[in-house]
């Protein structure tokens, strides 16, 4: 769980509207956490999302954090690493991953509705996961999978709960109890 060895992946979620985007932004954070990022920056404070991720950390381990960062331009400019904006207009994912793979920390920028035009110029890479519109959740999952060479397949959870993969039913081991559903 967490970032690939020696490499920090941070997700910047732009355009989060607490009333409308609560669920999808939570999914962005869950995907970021499960697929190898270490934190997500939100330009709007949303304690509901922070609390949900805190509970997932407690149950499944890791220290993924949700950070309030209102100044998104400062976040991009001040990032000590490469910045990648996921957009259907960008260069092809396999080409970008080849350029990025051996380098250090990465800031991954995903939008909600319309992304400000400045982002396209500010990001080091504008990267498409196919050239059709789909979702920030799917784009982020596929990007992290390719960037980190399927690191999620090798990661182990370390929290209060552990799921035993089973072809049928739910097999969950807790620290003080075992439950099969
Ligand atoms: N129409 C919006 C725009 O032009 O900025 C995009 C809205 S889309 C629902 C929300 C986010 O999903 C985008 O900002 C982008 O980060 C991501 N996204 C959607 N389709 C994508 C694709 N094919 N490749 C990469 N990212 C994508």
């Amino acid at each position: 769980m967490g970032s690939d060895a020696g490499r920090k992946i941070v997700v910047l979620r732009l355009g989060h509207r607490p009333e409308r985007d609560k669920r999808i932004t939570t999914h962005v954070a869950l995907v970021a956490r499960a697929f190898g990022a270490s934190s997500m920056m939100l330009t709007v404070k949303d304690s509901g999302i922070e609390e949900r991720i805190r509970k997932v950390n407690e149950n499944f381990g890791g220290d993924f954090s949700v950070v309030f960062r209102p100044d998104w331009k400062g976040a991009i400019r001040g990032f000590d690493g490469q910045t990648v904006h996921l957009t259907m207009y960008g260069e092809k994912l396999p080409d970008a991953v080849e350029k990025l793979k051996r380098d250090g920390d990465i800031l991954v920028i995903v939008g909600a509705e319309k992304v400000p035009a400045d982002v396209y110029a500010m990001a080091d890479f504008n990267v498409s996961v196919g050239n059709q519109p789909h979702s920030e959740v799917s784009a982020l999952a596929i990007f992290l999978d390719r960037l980190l060479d399927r690191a999620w397949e090798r990661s182990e959870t370390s929290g209060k709960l552990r799921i035993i993969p089973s072809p049928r039913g739910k097999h969950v081991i807790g620290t003080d109890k075992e439950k099969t559903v």
Side-chain angles (χ1 to χ4, degrees), residues 60 156-157 161-174 177-181:
F60 293 96
E156 297 281 341
T157 58
L161 300 177
R162 191 154 68 89
I163 292 174
I164 308 300
S166 309
R168 214 174 291 280
K170 300 177 187 173
H171 192 182
V172 182
I173 293 180
K177 59 183 181 291
E178 184 163 336
K179 193 169 93 174
T180 303
V181 182

Side-chain angles (χ1 to χ4, degrees), residues 117-179:
D118 285 354
V119 176
Y120 292 81
M122 289 175 74
D124 296 319
F125 296 89
N126 291 287
V127 177
S128 60
V129 182
N131 301 109
Q132 304 179 51
H134 44 89
S135 152
E136 51 274 48
V137 177
S138 53
L140 180 62
I142 290 174
F143 174 75
L144 292 176
D145 175 73
R146 296 288 180 90
L147 179 75
L148 301 176
D149 278 332
R150 304 185 298 181
W152 59 272
E153 286 185 2
R154 302 180 290 278
S155 78
E156 297 281 341
T157 58
S158 59
K160 290 202 296 196
L161 300 177
R162 191 154 68 89
I163 292 174
I164 308 300
S166 309
R168 214 174 291 280
K170 300 177 187 173
H171 192 182
V172 182
I173 293 180
T175 46
D176 56 355
K177 59 183 181 291
E178 184 163 336
K179 193 169 93 174

